[in-house]
Amino acid sequence: MSSSWQHGYIRDGIMVHFHHGNHSDPYKPIGNDSLDVACKGCFVRFDTTACVRSGLMTLFVTVTGLLCAAKLCRLHQKNQRTVHQYIIFYTALVECVLCAIHWIYAKYTQIEFGLQYLKLIQFLVVCHVYCCLAARVTRKEQLSSRVVGPLFVLAFIYFTVITVMGMLDARSSWVDCREPEWILLSSMEFVLVQLFLVSGIYITKKLNKISTQAETRREQKRDLWGLIGVFELSATITLIYDVNMLIWADEDNGCSGVFLHSQWFYSLIYALLELLKFMLPIWTMMCVFHPVEPASTDFDSSWAEDGTYTSVFSPQRGNRYRRLQNPTSSPAALHSSRSFPVLPPIHEEETSPLPSV
């Protein structure tokens, strides 16, 4: 039967504690506060490098939050009918507020789990939109209602349960990187991104066959693959980081030991990780998604028999109309668009004249 023991010493007026032996108690104060690079900042355990890092990151996220607030004001002014953008940018705004608190002051593992959860909610909304659209353009609407919808409901429940478990099981920054919940979240995110990638391939094939201007088609594909590329990068980097921390960190040297207890090394890696993980997806979605007039949010008016469509995420551009001949109805005028169409409310899909691929 193993026994636990501890000893310590005074360094720079701080009592440094080492714990050895049995670490099964998650509430036991494990670690070395004077060496732990993750717990340093501007207000608690001051460190110049950590404070500069936190200040710059907080500046970035504050500007991003203000842009999200401005985007939401525009959405309300335009009376946006679809809820997707509201979900995306409201969660992004909350994420920016929590990031600012977390980076500059409160170094709590629970906040980090909350940030990861909000980012995953945004990704689920975007991924669900394009996966359902891919099912529609391939004329497999039943796949959307019977497979894609339940799959994303299960993914939402999975992320919620794992996040709550991570918050309840949170430990100190000395060993929090070894929590299995990080791997469970990042690995599932990586799998769903691959589903997003497959949907993008189907949608791109459809774009290549529709009769629309080459410039418009090119811009739509750029926006679609910009989103896919950013989420792919974010999910891959997050998974690689979580796997490496789980492999190389241990109870004795802690997560800080992976960075050789170097604040410069840790600050460089951590700042890059957090910006790519949280901020880059928000910046990309703000560039791609825009409010539109209520008349343009109807999915049925965004498609024609020849495959021409408009976007319900992009702003209208002046009075540019294109005449389309529908053999079953009178000619219709549709707006051109830059970005790919988003999914409307599901109850509108029965009358949508989807073309074959």
Side-chain angles (χ1 to χ4, degrees), residues 53-87:
R53 177 204 72 217
S54 300
L56 291 176
M57 293 172 65
T58 303
L59 176 62
F60 280 125
V61 78
T62 301
V63 174
T64 303
L66 293 175
L67 293 175
C68 286
K71 180 76 73 173
L72 286 167
C73 290
R74 293 185 59 196
L75 287 174
H76 286 287
Q77 288 175 354
K78 296 288 185 178
N79 294 321
Q80 188 78 17
R81 288 174 53 191
T82 54
V83 300
H84 306 96
Q85 292 195 61
Y86 289 116
I87 296 174

Side-chain angles (χ1 to χ4, degrees), residues 10 32 63 65 86-87 119 124 170 180 194 196 201 207 240-241 247 274 340 352:
I10 301 296
N32 182 337
V63 174
Y86 289 116
I87 296 174
K119 175 215 170 181
L124 282 179
Q194 308 320 307
F196 189 17
I201 293 174
L207 278 172
I240 292 175
Y241 177 85
I247 292 175
E274 297 291 281
F340 204 79
S352 178

Side-chain angles (χ1 to χ4, degrees), residues 278-346:
F278 297 124
M279 293 295 99
L280 185 59
I282 296 178
W283 295 338
T284 305
M285 289 185 290
M286 283 196 296
C287 292
V288 172
F289 301 151
H290 305 282
V292 294
E293 298 294 340
S296 299
T297 58
D298 183 63
F299 186 71
D300 296 341
S301 66
S302 300
W303 286 83
E305 292 295 332
D306 64 350
T308 307
Y309 59 88
T310 63
S311 169
V312 297
F313 262 5
S314 290
Q316 298 180 10
R317 295 176 171 271
N319 295 318
R320 296 165 53 193
Y321 289 87
R322 179 177 178 180
R323 306 293 294 182
L324 299 174
Q325 183 64 39
N326 189 324
T328 60
S329 62
S330 60
L334 301 177
H335 292 288
S336 346
S337 168
R338 291 187 59 183
S339 81
F340 204 79
V342 275
L343 188 67
I346 296 300

Side-chain angles (χ1 to χ4, degrees), residues 219-280:
E219 291 172 345
Q220 289 163 341
K221 288 191 289 187
R222 178 201 62 197
D223 291 343
L224 171 62
W225 285 99
L227 284 171
I228 295 174
V230 165
F231 280 113
E232 188 80 53
L233 177 64
S234 177
T236 302
I237 288 179
T238 302
L239 181 60
I240 292 175
Y241 177 85
D242 291 340
V243 170
N244 277 277
M245 295 303 288
L246 185 63
I247 292 175
W248 298 109
D250 55 43
E251 298 279 354
D252 293 325
N253 293 315
C255 304
S256 180
V258 179
F259 304 97
L260 307 177
H261 306 295
S262 169
Q263 187 60 240
W264 281 99
F265 186 28
Y266 171 77
S267 294
L268 177 63
I269 299 298
Y270 180 75
L272 184 62
L273 172 71
E274 297 291 281
L275 292 177
L276 292 177
K277 183 177 179 180
F278 297 124
M279 293 295 99
L280 185 59

Side-chain angles (χ1 to χ4, degrees), residues 5-20 29-35:
W5 59 278
Q6 61 178 331
H7 69 275
Y9 62 92
I10 301 296
R11 177 178 176 181
D12 298 330
I14 300 175
M15 183 62 184
V16 179
H17 294 283
F18 293 95
H19 296 264
H20 301 273
I30 299 173
N32 182 337
D33 291 341
S34 67
L35 290 178

Side-chain angles (χ1 to χ4, degrees), residues 183-194:
I183 295 292
L184 294 175
L185 290 175
S186 57
S187 58
M188 179 58 71
E189 179 189 7
F190 183 80
V191 171
L192 290 177
V193 169
Q194 308 320 307

